[in-house]
Amino acid sequence: QVQLVESGGGLVQAGGSLRLSCVGSGRAFSSYAMGWFRQAPGKEREFVAVISLGSGSISYADSVKDRFSISRDNGKNTVYLQMNSLKPEDTAVYYCAANLYPFKLRDGVGEFWGQGTQVTVSS
């Protein structure tokens, strides 16, 4: 069992930056691939980024590539999402999720999910 808690959301102007954090409980954290997802009002949840358990494999959605960066610190049981050059269309609730398999996260399948953190980008 892994419990995930996100933080770092907030209100930022377009062009600004935020760093989201997701802290996982339990020693099993380093055994899981981790992903970030987001859900805007009235829209389906969408994949943002995924990182393998050893950080050797990383992938991004095309909409955030070159602006967002995912990383993890297994010693701190934490995965990060650095978001730069934010746009109003990035406004959403951001969730982290864990799965043993990165390809399942890219398909939106998480074994464990956090409660989400709100990111609002004003124009």
Side-chain angles (χ1 to χ4, degrees), residues 97-113:
N99 196 302
L100 289 175
Y101 306 102
F103 74 91
K104 290 190 175 182
L105 281 172
R106 283 191 290 272
D107 288 341
V109 178
E111 292 186 56
F112 306 104
W113 292 87

Side-chain angles (χ1 to χ4, degrees), residues 55-67:
S55 303
S57 176
I58 291 173
S59 61
Y60 299 95
D62 287 344
S63 59
V64 306
K65 200 174 296 184
D66 298 327
R67 298 189 298 122

